[in-house]
Amino acid sequence: MAGQRLVNSIEKGIVIDHIQAGMGIKLFRYLNLDKAGFTVVMIMNAASKRMGRKDIIKIQDITDLDYTVIGLIDHRATISVIDGGKIIAKKPLTLPSTVQNVLYCKNPRCVTATEKQMPHIFRLQNAGERIYKCAYCEEYVNGFEL
């Protein structure tokens, strides 16, 4: 079709691969890629030998993102930094030990409920269940509930 181009690869940017199927849209939203002024491609439910199905996000011309958010949403995803059409680096992801302003405390008595400028800080308590605890009031939040 004239004027349309399928984006198979990028010259410079980031590829987030091996995202659990269905989680790509969460990453897309949390990284505010819908407001991006650059090319972003999201592939959903792609066939994967390793995972069965996976999501992929390709971001043109950006080489740095908030890996904390990506690690929280899917720490098994892989990050490839691309330059000149080739992978120049792979960034390891982990489940973050501390997150700020990604999870939000729902406790109405927490200082973050009354002091709106206070950052919402959570520390990992149980990696297997992704349980985080508020740094101020010690309320527990499930990291799966983004």
Side-chain angles (χ1 to χ4, degrees):
M1 293 183 190
Q4 291 186 354
R5 185 175 143 215
L6 179 62
V7 178
N8 289 325
S9 62
I10 57 177
E11 279 298 307
K12 182 179 180 181
I14 293 179
V15 175
I16 309 169
D17 198 356
H18 302 102
I19 305 166
Q20 180 183 340
M23 298 303 280
I25 194 71
K26 271 191 177 183
L27 271 176
F28 190 86
R29 288 181 182 138
Y30 271 89
L31 294 172
N32 292 313
L33 296 176
D34 55 329
K35 297 172 180 71
F38 41 83
T39 301
V40 178
V41 176
M42 190 166 94
I43 302 166
M44 298 177 70
N45 294 313
S48 169
K49 290 179 185 174
R50 186 174 108 189
M51 302 173 68
R53 294 277 173 205
K54 67 179 180 177
D55 293 350
I56 305 166
I57 299 174
K58 297 180 179 188
I59 307 166
Q60 181 73 34
D61 297 329
I62 297 297
T63 57
D64 192 30
L65 287 174
D66 183 356
Y67 298 127
T68 303
V69 172
I70 300 169
L72 180 64
I73 292 175
D74 191 350
H75 65 282
R76 292 182 195 108
T78 58
I79 305 280
S80 297
V81 179
I82 312 294
D83 195 6
K86 295 184 182 352
I87 297 172
I88 60 164
K90 290 207 175 238
K91 302 284 186 177
L93 290 175
T94 60
L95 192 58
S97 58
T98 303
V99 293
Q100 182 171 321
N101 295 329
V102 177
L103 298 172
Y104 294 92
C105 191
K106 296 175 182 145
N107 180 354
R109 294 183 310 275
C110 183
V111 67
T112 60
T114 56
E115 301 292 328
K116 300 298 183 194
Q117 76 280 5
M118 293 289 292
H120 290 255
I121 301 170
F122 286 84
R123 295 190 176 86
L124 184 63
Q125 298 299 299
N126 181 320
E129 296 181 24
R130 277 197 216 173
I131 302 296
Y132 284 83
K133 183 168 70 171
C134 177
Y136 307 107
C137 72
E138 300 188 353
E139 179 83 9
Y140 289 97
V141 173
N142 187 321
F144 286 111
E145 298 175 3
L146 279 173

